[in-house]
Structure formats: C-alpha cells, structure tokens
Amino acid sequence: MEEMLADEAAYEFVMTFLEQVQNLVSHRLELFLGPEDVERLLGPRSAVGWKTLAEFWAAVAAWCADNRPPLESSEEILSVRNEQLRAMLWTGNRTLPTGAKLGLADAVRYEKATGAGIPGFSHIAAALRAMGQD
C-alpha cells in the first residue's frame, strides 16, 4: 500500500481498500484485529489515509446525528450467514462505538448535503460505480 500511495493513479484504489479494512475492523469481531491494532501496522502514507478516512467518517456520524433519524444498529448485518453477502455488508458498512451502523448511503448523503468529502476520493462516484453507472 505504501508504494501504491506514491502513485497518484492508485490513490482511489488504496483509499477504497483502507476504507474497507476500517469498516471490517470497526465491527470488533473476534476473528479480526481491532482498529488500533491495524493502525499500528500501517506505514506513514497508509497511516495518513487511515486518519483521513477516520476523520471523514467521524464527520459523517456527527452530521447524521444532527440531520437524520437515529441510525440503525449494526446487529442485523453482523448476523448475516451468507458469506458473499456478509463480505459485502461487513466491508461496506461500519459499526460506531455506540453499535449504530453507518454505510455508503450515509457518506453519499453527507457529501451531497455538505459538499465535504475526501479530496480525490468520492463516495458519490463509488456509489455510481457500484450501480454500474460510472
């Protein structure tokens, strides 16, 4: 990841990967390392990306708390048994310390409402790609 981050063309790929790892470890499941453990393993460039993503998602959570109905619990996505669906849900959503779930739709709403995002990395573009509309 460190070498890839030196190449601007790989930035979006690396940030997507780091975000999916952050989402996965946010669920604090026994099978995976915790967020703090992963963060200690990162190189300097990856650590900056990790921090940028964490700050973005903290802003999304704060915005949701002020502007949206209460967030749903992540319990439902954590209990999914189908491995393929579980992989998509666990890497596409994150569990907040409160147990609430944030996902791509929340990030898109935040970006559209505030115009704030991560430079060079758009959740709106990611959502369009996921729908095959890129």
Side-chain angles (χ1 to χ4, degrees):
M1 296 322 242
E2 286 299 297
E3 290 176 21
M4 291 179 79
L5 280 171
D7 178 6
E8 194 173 313
Y11 179 75
E12 186 175 354
F13 173 82
V14 174
M15 291 298 281
T16 298
F17 176 78
L18 287 173
E19 184 172 61
Q20 289 177 347
V21 171
Q22 262 189 11
N23 289 347
L24 188 60
V25 300
S26 76
H27 305 306
R28 299 196 179 270
L29 299 167
E30 288 182 18
L31 350 151
F32 305 112
L33 295 173
E36 299 83 13
D37 299 318
V38 172
E39 195 170 359
R40 281 192 290 272
L41 299 172
L42 298 173
R45 289 182 183 135
S46 298
V48 170
W50 186 271
K51 182 180 179 195
T52 300
L53 288 162
E55 290 171 351
F56 170 81
W57 281 99
V60 172
W63 179 84
C64 285
D66 291 341
N67 296 286
R68 309 255 318 129
L71 296 169
E72 296 177 9
S73 169
S74 64
E75 286 180 26
E76 190 173 335
I77 67 164
L78 296 177
S79 65
V80 169
R81 297 219 185 269
N82 179 290
E83 285 189 38
Q84 291 175 319
L85 180 57
R86 184 171 54 209
M88 287 179 8
L89 290 171
W90 288 7
T91 59
N93 293 280
R94 64 180 53 211
T95 300
L96 300 175
T98 62
K101 172 183 66 83
L102 274 180
L104 178 59
D106 299 302
V108 168
R109 286 183 188 105
Y110 170 77
E111 285 184 9
K112 288 183 95 171
T114 66
I118 298 171
F121 183 72
S122 167
H123 289 88
I124 296 169
L128 290 172
R129 266 193 314 283
M131 296 183 327
Q133 298 181 14
D134 53 342

